[in-house]
Amino acid sequence: MLRVGINGFGTIGKRVADAVRAQPDMTVAGVAKRTPDYEAEIARDRGYSLFAAAETTPFTAAGIDVAGQVRQLVAASDVVVDATPAGVGERNRALYEELETPAIYQGGEDASVAPVSFNARANYDEAVGADAVRVVSCNTTGLSRVLAPLEERYGIEKVRATLVRRGGDPSQTGRGPINDTLPDPVSIPSHHAPDVKTVFPELSIDTMGMKVPATLMHTHAINLTLRATPTAEDVRDLLTAEGRLLVIPERLGIDGAGKLKEYTRDAGRPRGDVWENCIWAESLTVEPLSDGRADCYLFQAIHQEADVVPENVDAIRAIAGLADGPESVERTDEALGIGCGLAGIEPDTTAPARDAASDD
Ligand code: NAD
């Protein structure tokens, strides 16, 4: 069993810890936290060995036993997942390098933190045996997953994506906006396009970012020019076959992130997590161009707290050389139950796929 230490037990770290614990080939060596808050109590209650990122005194004063300091956790781990706030991972890098523990960083870090920016569907092999890997952000993960099969099957000439981003996670009470819709950043392209290019260096992509008063999910409006002219149904079948893409049939009546989250809670997902990209089937539209190319459109929702979690598990296997990409993804998905609970979702064969000609 591979021993995995998790440094940072917040929104991402606690989910990664639970996902690692569910795997058949890895175990949680411990988790590290800076603050003895409610999440530290959860770590203790779930039986994780808890290490202090800084002083142990605040933990003992709060009545929470700690197993030691983060240095001991890193030394006892075969791989460490750094899920500390953006920028802190870079500062932790010297410790991981000194103790020669391969490290996985998150998308809040600059791409220079690791030699590989990772998405399991797009570039798993590049991370095999690496010393360090950065799992790209929630938005870049969501884009990479949907772009990889389209690029492989049809070739992509150009991507234009507008990312309507949640203002903050539900627990981030200090974030906003609370009564506005912000172009964020105002300049174009937003930082997401260069980030996607860390995974697909040759891709032509422009992104525009917004922030809105919502906490549940991001919504992407994507338009891409394909180097072929599939039908909308072809594209829908292609995307439906991808395990981490959930094509939502119209008949479910899911009109946004609220119902999506309610659906996953009803289905018994832990924390109501949606690990998959959620693509609205009726948004999939293909408009043939005159020269053998086609414009393709879709809307997808991305659960920012959850979509990077299976990617972290795959990054652990890649960095440790435990499996090849397809094996790892299959093992991760089976252990987490990706595709389960929501498995009743099948392609909606009763509703004809709409293409531009029939679109009103
Ligand atoms: P978070 O604030 O929810 O959790 C961070 C955790 O790290 C907390 O437990 C905190 O106590 C702990 N911590 C703070 N300083 C520390 C230190 N010096 N050493 C060890 N632990 C420390 O943050 P998050 O939202 O989980 O984000 C973590 C990373 O994941 C960031 O790079 C972020 O950009 C990225 N990410 C976040 C999201 C998201 O939507 N929340 C999505 C994808 C990627």
Side-chain angles (χ1 to χ4, degrees):
M1 295 285 263
L2 192 81
R3 292 163 303 167
V4 181
I6 291 133
N7 190 14
F9 193 77
T11 303
I12 301 300
K14 65 189 176 188
R15 287 172 165 83
V16 170
D18 291 353
V20 165
R21 178 179 262 181
Q23 305 303 311
D25 51 355
M26 50 185 86
T27 183
V28 178
V31 304
K33 248 192 92 49
R34 190 180 169 83
T35 323
D37 58 11
Y38 71 100
E39 285 169 326
E41 289 208 3
I42 290 292
R44 179 196 61 193
D45 295 350
R46 295 204 171 189
Y48 294 127
S49 293
L50 180 62
F51 293 77
E55 296 304 314
T56 54
T57 326
F59 287 88
T60 43
I64 298 174
D65 287 338
V66 286
Q69 288 192 303
V70 68
R71 186 181 185 85
Q72 293 160 273
L73 172 62
V74 177
S77 301
D78 300 313
V79 174
V80 65
V81 176
D82 187 295
T84 58
V88 178
E90 170 64 46
R91 299 208 289 276
N92 291 332
R93 185 172 155 188
L95 175 66
Y96 307 145
E97 288 179 353
E98 181 198 332
L99 297 178
E100 297 184 355
T101 307
I104 290 161
Y105 301 93
Q106 306 305 311
E109 304 301 323
D110 192 86
S112 62
V113 78
V116 182
S117 285
F118 177 85
N119 172 258
R121 178 62 180 80
N123 67 347
Y124 185 99
D125 290 349
E126 288 175 33
V128 173
D131 292 333
V133 166
R134 180 182 74 122
V135 172
V136 290
S137 74
C138 45
N139 281 302
T140 304
T141 294
L143 288 168
S144 299
R145 283 180 182 165
V146 75
L147 295 177
L150 291 168
E151 167 70 358
E152 283 169 18
R153 178 69 62 91
Y154 307 118
I156 296 174
E157 187 174 296
K158 175 84 184 178
V159 182
R160 300 167 195 85
T162 301
L163 314 180
V164 182
R165 290 136 67 216
R166 56 81 177 111
D169 296 337
S171 65
Q172 292 177 310
T173 46
R175 288 182 54 154
I178 57 170
N179 184 26
D180 212 338
T181 52
L182 307 178
D184 182 79
V186 177
S187 55
I188 295 164
S190 67
H191 60 273
H192 306 94
D195 204 37
V196 171
K197 285 169 78 73
T198 65
V199 180
F200 301 88
E202 306 301 325
L203 188 72
S204 174
I205 176 168
D206 285 332
T207 51
M208 297 172 76
M210 294 189 68
K211 269 194 185 168
V212 297
T215 62
L216 298 179
M217 297 176 92
H218 304 302
T219 305
H220 295 174
I222 301 177
N223 159 228
L224 32 86
T225 304
L226 301 173
R227 294 198 167 100
T229 50
T231 64
E233 202 160 15
D234 293 336
V235 174
R236 186 161 87 169
D237 290 347
L238 176 75
L239 300 184
T240 301
E242 294 282 321
R244 292 183 186 171
L245 302 182
L246 199 60
V247 178
I248 310 163
E250 193 170 0
R251 66 181 155 77
L252 291 183
I254 290 176
D255 59 3
K259 288 200 180 87
L260 262 176
K261 293 283 291 166
E262 185 73 358
Y263 182 44
T264 51
R265 278 194 296 267
D266 286 347
R269 287 284 182 93
R271 302 182 174 96
D273 280 354
V274 195
W275 297 297
E276 306 90 340
N277 294 22
C278 298
I279 299 168
W280 275 274
E282 65 268 38
S283 75
L284 275 169
T285 301
V286 176
E287 190 176 328
L289 301 172
S290 56
D291 52 4
R293 299 173 303 146
D295 275 338
C296 175
Y297 301 83
L298 64 94
F299 278 123
Q300 66 174 4
I302 301 296
H303 185 197
Q304 74 282 354
E305 299 167 297
D307 73 329
V308 298
V309 172
E311 307 296 331
N312 270 272
V313 174
D314 294 327
I316 293 167
R317 281 203 194 89
I319 215 170
L322 286 186
D324 66 24
E327 279 169 4
S328 177
V329 167
E330 191 181 339
R331 220 177 283 171
T332 304
D333 290 2
E334 192 179 334
L336 290 182
I338 293 180
C340 297
L342 310 181
I345 296 186
E346 298 289 343
D348 183 3
T349 49
T350 58
R354 299 196 315 174
D355 58 25
S358 61
D359 215 358
D360 50 357

